[in-house]
Amino acid sequence: MAETAPLVRCDRSGDVARITIANPPVNALSHAVRSGILAAVEAADADPEAVAIVLRCDGRTFVAGADITEFDRPAVEPVLSTVLAAIDACRKPVVAAIHGTALGGGLELALACHWRVAVAGARVGLPEVKLGIIPGGGGTQRLPRAVGVEKALEMITTGEMIGAAEAKEAGIIDAIVDGDLDDAAVAFARARAADGARPRLRDREDRIAGARGQDAPFAAARAAMARRARGRQAPEYAIRAVQAAVERPFDDGIALERELCTELKASAQSRAQRHVFFAEREAAKVPGIGRDTPVARIERAAVIGAGTMGGGIAMSLAAAGIPVVLVETGQEALDRGLATIRRNWEATARRGGLGGATVDERMARIRPSLALADIADADLVIEAVFEDTGIKKTVFAEMDRHARPGAILATNTSTLDVDDIATATARPESVVGLHFFSPANIMKLLEIVRGRATSPSVVATSLAVAKRIGKVPVVVGVCDGFVGNRMLRARGRQAERLVMEGALPQQVDRVLYDFGFPMGPYAMGDLAGLDIGWRIRREKGLVSPVADRLCEMGRFGQKTGAGWYRYEAASRSPIPDPAVEAIILEEAARAGIARRAIDDGEILDRLLLPMVNEGARILEEGIALRPGDIDIVWVHGYGWPVQEGGPMHWADARGLGAIRDRLLELQHQHGDDFRPAALIERLAAEGKGFRDLPRP
Ligand code: 3H9
């Protein structure tokens, strides 16, 4: 049979027509692919020699979804639902043969087929909400008919994938194939042609009938999403669409789904979430690091320091199957660190989160040691000791002495000069910063700090390790605080000033919470512990009048039951404390500040605009390669709400002209902290945004 379209081809295996999609890397449903499938289905349906049709994909995966790069343009026929309607109407049984990941429009394509067979390693899901939209190819209507309302709500509102076995159990997949997928799919299709079975999910009512007139499953989904996806539109739209599947005829449900999906595609939230999707992938591409850059094999690792950070880093490595030597100076600290790790994993295991592994299996990958010499056979050594240059340099000199040649020597510093630390070794090319975020076993961000001498191979290997342990890496340059903490400091300065000038910690925190952050700077300070900052301030001779007084009173945050807030026994909920307000009023009076009411809008601008400004300077200095990298740091390291796309995207969405004008206004009122960065001045004058900067 002739080629029907370059990206879709059609041939026959005996009396079974085979439609193959070949659109690497993930077989996304671009316009050309949709047209190709439609033509191929029509041709196969009309082919008198074919009794059944198999839909399969070349390459590493079944269709992983619609082509997201097309979302900025209006949809062009044939849209996905037109293609799926043709499959639905096909007079011969159509069997989807699934390997890799059938996601979004890919799963919808499979659900429109009459049957689905898959290899055991396949995974399926409707991840559209992660892009700020809902399925637009009938997923909200067909999935509930296959798996029932509750499972469909769970899958569509969370966007999480499930494995083939679970998908079979749930009713998505009809058969799991042991041997060759193509042969099995053809045999399966032939058998279905023989028995004449051609079930269409659109006709099925049995799994949804029971939910008709019921509000409970939808209310439960709404409650879960209010916690999990606060401030995001898409999950609510998804729930409405699934409700329509239950309450309305199939075609009406499809029409509503399409309307909601189209509205969301044009929404600011979806634009932001798509930006994050692509920025995440772009961040892993670093100029000068290519396919030919050697990537070292990391078979064994060592972590020096079994405190909160060291323990969390060891957990991340061990969870990914990398054996770790965990080194401490004293038995007591080592025991404490190991006990914390075990407790954390036990908690994860109780939630079913260890993916089949046992706590003991995980613990067995961590070998405790009191001797730094035990790092000798590690390919990667990560130092996570006290944040002090002198101490770190001493440790690095020791690492240099004991680590094998070629091993990567990494520091988990969150602020210090990686180039200076590297001078403690005779191999600065092997030294890199690997800045994990607390809790390191959970937070997805990894700032890879490339020093002056860090070799390309060390950067490439760090990127590979990040991927292996499930982190999102961003390569940054050396400066005080790198990207994340440097911008956090700019925000912190304003938070402190706002409280002195008239706001209260709870107001500042609420404004950021309402914006979408999980918590504001004061609740975060209480969680992290106020004593660390206090100690650093004293060493540097710095003063923070209110925070210093709280610390003098022993109010170090949650761990002492009081900090910026007070905490009731065994609760982590911050309770505003009049005693803190009294201290704030006293310190403001002492500083001669006449406090005033500050509205939420001013608070938000004064917290976020200095971050954007600092981000612009970070770009000017080349510390971050692109604005999207900064966004990824904030979304994955500091809880910036993904539906706001990160600080640089947020500024672009507001318009850099407006950002510059507001900065100038704030500079006039509150001083030079708000002087617009030269990059903002330039881009605003040219009517451009950060997004228009040339790609490195
Ligand atoms: C949808 O389907 C809507 C429908 O309901 C109907 C609407 C009418 N489009 O992640 P990787 C690119 S919404 C365009 O590094 P991995 C990606 O940018 C969609 N491009 O590989 C990258 O490009 P580059 C629902 C896409 O092996 C390259 O492919 N589906 C798409 O680590 C490799 O990607 C999803 O949300 C796409 N759909 O992971 C699934 N997907 O090399 C999104 C990927 O230039 N995709 N690219 O940087 C994923 O989750 C992962 O890519 C996947 C593979 C798990 C498939």
Side-chain angles (χ1 to χ4, degrees):
M1 208 175 289
E3 273 202 352
T4 48
L7 304 175
V8 179
R9 57 178 201 276
C10 197
D11 63 4
R12 249 201 356 253
S13 171
D15 54 358
V16 175
R18 292 195 317 174
I19 298 172
T20 297
I21 302 167
N23 183 24
V26 299
N27 288 312
L29 293 168
S30 63
H31 178 254
V33 170
R34 296 194 305 270
S35 308
I37 300 173
L38 183 61
V41 167
E42 284 168 357
D45 202 20
D47 179 356
E49 309 286 319
V51 297
I53 302 168
V54 166
L55 189 63
R56 63 176 297 283
C57 287
D58 273 351
R60 62 182 189 194
T61 180
F62 193 78
V63 173
D67 186 339
I68 307 166
T69 60
E70 288 183 355
F71 285 11
D72 292 329
R73 303 188 290 273
V76 180
E77 284 286 355
V79 294
L80 186 56
S81 51
T82 306
V83 179
L84 303 191
I87 295 176
D88 242 348
C90 197
R91 288 159 301 176
K92 297 166 186 172
V94 185
V95 178
I98 302 173
H99 73 291
T101 46
L103 298 178
L107 179 57
E108 293 176 298
L109 177 66
L111 289 171
C113 294
H114 306 116
W115 304 96
R116 288 151 292 280
V117 299
V119 295
R123 286 179 301 162
V124 304
L126 292 175
E128 283 86 344
V129 287
K130 296 189 177 181
L131 298 168
I133 60 168
I134 62 168
T140 63
Q141 307 302 301
R142 287 194 181 86
L143 189 65
R145 286 173 161 84
V147 302
V149 165
E150 275 165 32
K151 185 72 183 168
L153 281 171
E154 182 196 316
M155 286 181 66
I156 298 172
T157 57
T158 65
E160 299 301 335
M161 301 187 227
I162 59 173
E166 189 179 343
K168 174 148 190 300
E169 172 81 26
I172 297 173
I173 287 171
D174 300 297
I176 294 182
V177 166
D178 264 342
D180 183 81
L181 175 64
D182 289 327
D183 292 348
V186 165
F188 187 96
R190 195 169 285 133
R192 296 295 80 79
D195 63 28
R198 208 171 49 83
R200 303 191 307 175
L201 279 172
R202 60 172 289 147
D203 301 329
R204 256 181 88 177
E205 293 290 313
D206 56 308
R207 301 298 302 259
I208 52 173
R212 210 153 280 152
Q214 302 280 323
D215 194 47
F218 303 101
R222 285 197 168 92
M225 283 301 117
R227 287 191 306 273
R228 252 185 96 136
R230 189 169 54 88
R232 282 177 227 160
Q233 255 172 332
E236 167 57 26
Y237 278 42
I239 294 167
R240 277 166 54 191
V242 173
Q243 203 151 11
V246 175
E247 304 297 346
R248 303 192 196 179
F250 181 82
D251 290 324
D252 289 7
I254 289 282
L256 178 74
E257 176 197 85
R258 177 130 187 238
E259 191 184 307
L260 296 176
C261 180
T262 306
E263 181 190 329
L264 286 174
K265 253 197 233 172
S267 70
Q269 289 200 353
S270 176
R271 281 180 203 285
Q273 288 178 249
R274 272 135 58 190
H275 160 75
V276 170
F277 177 85
F278 286 114
E280 229 174 71
R281 281 150 184 86
E282 204 175 357
K285 299 187 179 94
V286 181
I289 312 289
R291 280 181 199 285
D292 49 349
T293 311
V295 174
R297 281 168 69 94
I298 302 297
E299 282 171 8
R300 273 177 290 275
V303 175
I304 301 174
T308 312
M309 286 313 293
I313 295 168
M315 288 173 77
S316 288
L317 294 163
I322 303 172
V324 186
V325 177
L326 183 60
V327 185
E328 252 301 345
T329 46
Q331 190 64 49
E332 208 183 312
L334 191 56
D335 290 345
R336 207 169 36 236
L338 285 169
T340 306
I341 293 174
R342 179 176 282 281
R343 226 181 11 258
N344 284 337
W345 271 334
E346 278 167 354
T348 316
R350 276 195 296 278
R351 292 192 303 271
L354 284 192
T358 66
V359 173
D360 285 339
E361 275 163 15
R362 289 266 174 102
M363 290 303 296
R365 294 199 195 123
I366 300 182
R367 180 159 70 89
S369 164
L370 292 172
L372 216 131
D374 283 346
I375 68 172
D377 62 355
D379 307 305
L380 166 67
V381 186
I382 305 177
E383 161 280 311
V385 304
F386 189 67
E387 186 76 352
D388 173 279
T389 304
I391 297 175
K392 287 198 189 279
K393 283 171 91 166
T394 309
V395 172
F396 263 76
E398 285 293 296
M399 283 158 68
D400 192 22
R401 212 152 69 82
H402 295 291
R404 67 163 187 75
I408 294 179
L409 307 183
T411 169
N412 176 51
T413 179
S414 51
T415 50
L416 301 175
D417 184 342
V418 174
D419 291 326
D420 188 23
I421 293 171
T423 62
T425 73
R427 39 173 143 167
E429 70 285 358
S430 297
V431 176
V432 68
L434 291 183
H435 181 205
F436 289 78
F437 288 72
S438 188
N441 53 315
I442 309 250
M443 295 299 283
K444 287 185 74 180
L445 178 65
L446 182 66
E447 275 183 335
I448 298 179
V449 188
R450 190 209 303 228
R452 236 186 342 257
T454 310
S455 76
S457 167
V458 166
V459 176
T461 307
S462 301
L463 286 164
V465 169
K467 184 154 187 172
R468 189 161 154 205
I469 64 176
K471 303 290 178 201
V472 180
V474 177
V475 174
V476 302
V478 175
C479 71
D480 189 1
F482 317 122
V483 170
N485 281 345
R486 179 167 157 183
M487 289 167 69
L488 185 68
R489 208 172 303 133
R491 187 180 85 177
R493 253 195 317 272
Q494 289 307 313
E496 194 172 327
R497 288 184 56 180
L498 284 162
V499 158
M500 290 294 273
E501 289 172 27
L504 289 173
Q506 52 270 31
Q507 187 190 3
V508 171
D509 280 355
R510 180 183 46 73
V511 168
L512 284 187
Y513 180 82
D514 288 348
F515 181 73
F517 277 97
M519 64 182 84
Y522 292 102
M524 192 165 111
D526 275 1
L527 177 66
L530 304 180
D531 47 326
I532 306 158
W534 186 40
R535 196 170 48 216
I536 294 171
R537 282 197 298 281
R538 279 189 306 182
E539 275 165 18
K540 294 188 174 169
L542 300 172
V543 176
S544 176
V546 180
D548 290 352
R549 274 189 63 186
L550 295 176
C551 288
E552 281 155 19
M553 295 163 74
R555 298 180 66 124
F556 293 159
Q558 282 190 18
K559 60 186 168 190
T560 57
W564 288 102
Y565 297 91
R566 64 184 185 82
Y567 298 85
E568 283 180 352
S571 161
R572 290 160 165 240
S573 302
I575 303 167
D577 190 343
V580 175
E581 184 172 346
I583 294 172
I584 291 169
L585 296 185
E586 275 173 38
E587 290 303 326
R590 198 196 307 271
I593 295 169
R595 286 171 62 81
R596 64 187 169 93
I598 304 182
D599 66 45
D600 290 357
E602 177 181 336
I603 291 179
L604 192 67
D605 281 353
R606 284 181 62 184
L607 294 173
L608 301 193
L609 292 190
M611 293 175 56
V612 172
N613 216 21
E614 199 65 37
R617 296 208 176 94
I618 284 170
L619 286 171
E620 284 166 2
E621 294 167 25
I623 297 295
L625 288 166
R626 357 170 150 77
D629 287 9
I630 297 177
D631 290 335
I632 293 305
V633 165
W634 272 83
V635 167
H636 288 303
Y638 298 84
W640 183 288
V642 66
Q643 68 272 20
E644 298 291 345
M648 310 316 270
H649 176 89
W650 176 80
D652 271 351
R654 208 162 139 169
L656 286 194
I659 294 281
R660 176 207 47 207
D661 294 349
R662 183 68 175 130
L663 278 168
L664 288 170
E665 206 170 75
L666 290 168
Q667 184 189 5
H668 182 68
Q669 293 160 354
H670 304 289
D672 271 354
D673 276 356
F674 294 95
R675 180 196 303 279
L679 181 63
I680 294 183
E681 293 273 23
R682 174 167 72 75
L683 290 172
E686 293 169 358
K688 291 183 176 162
F690 293 120
R691 67 167 76 87
D692 299 311
L693 287 171
R695 290 285 182 266

